[in-house]
């Protein structure tokens, strides 16, 4: 697992070969960054299923409560297969755009 502190968010990227190994490490680390936006970049090396992605729904809900953003970057899934409030995008640039838009929404009281 790689963790980089970017200007407006924390980038967590996977370098593990198995999803279960990565997910366990991710859960340990995500609590440290409770008040910061998180972008999670899933490696193409990991074989990940729709059900695996759905495990991150609780994290997304918790981040929303904390008024922070959580975005997953992966081009391995169809984003339309997931709930609308679950941010999965194919590129890092789109993840940064989501964070920026959600910040504006919070400032406007949405």
């Amino acid at each position: 697992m790689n963790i980089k502190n970017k200007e407006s968010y924390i980038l967590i990227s996977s370098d593990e070969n198995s999803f279960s190994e990565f997910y366990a490490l991710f859960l340990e680390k995500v609590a440290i960054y409770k008040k910061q936006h998180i972008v999670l970049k899933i490696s193409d090396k990991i074989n990940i299923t729709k059900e695996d992605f759905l495990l991150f729904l609780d994290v997304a809900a918790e981040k929303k409560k904390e008024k922070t953003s959580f975005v997953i970057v992966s081009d391995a899934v169809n984003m339309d297969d997931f709930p609308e409030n679950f941010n999965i995008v194919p590129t890092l640039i789109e993840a940064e755009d989501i964070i920026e838009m959600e910040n504006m929404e919070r400032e406007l009281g949405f």
Side-chain angles (χ1 to χ4, degrees):
M1 173 176 291
N2 298 311
I3 300 173
K4 293 181 183 171
N5 194 351
K6 297 290 191 172
E7 185 176 325
S8 61
Y9 62 92
I10 302 297
L11 175 62
I12 299 175
S13 54
S14 59
D15 59 0
E16 293 76 18
N17 291 321
S18 81
F19 175 77
S20 58
E21 179 184 343
F22 170 71
Y23 186 69
L25 286 170
F26 173 78
L27 290 179
E28 290 175 16
K29 300 295 182 185
V30 74
I32 296 169
Y33 303 107
K34 192 172 185 174
K35 300 286 184 188
Q36 294 159 302
H37 305 297
I38 294 180
V39 173
L40 175 61
K41 187 171 183 193
I42 304 289
S43 168
D44 292 338
K45 294 189 295 183
I46 293 179
N47 185 16
I48 188 167
T49 66
K50 178 181 176 181
E51 290 74 23
D52 293 335
F53 276 104
L54 291 173
L55 292 173
F56 293 106
L57 277 173
D58 290 339
V59 174
E62 187 62 33
K63 296 300 286 173
K64 187 171 185 90
K65 284 182 197 174
E66 293 294 329
K67 300 200 183 303
T68 58
S69 298
F70 176 68
V71 185
I72 297 175
V73 176
S74 175
D75 60 0
V77 296
N78 182 353
M79 294 159 280
D80 294 331
D81 291 342
F82 298 95
E84 188 176 303
N85 62 342
F86 192 45
N87 296 318
I88 301 177
V89 296
T91 67
L92 192 55
I93 291 170
E94 289 172 284
E96 292 169 351
D97 290 344
I98 294 276
I99 290 172
E100 193 174 311
M101 286 188 307
E102 287 185 347
N103 277 336
M104 283 189 260
E105 288 174 357
R106 284 188 281 271
E107 289 173 8
L108 294 171
F110 292 104

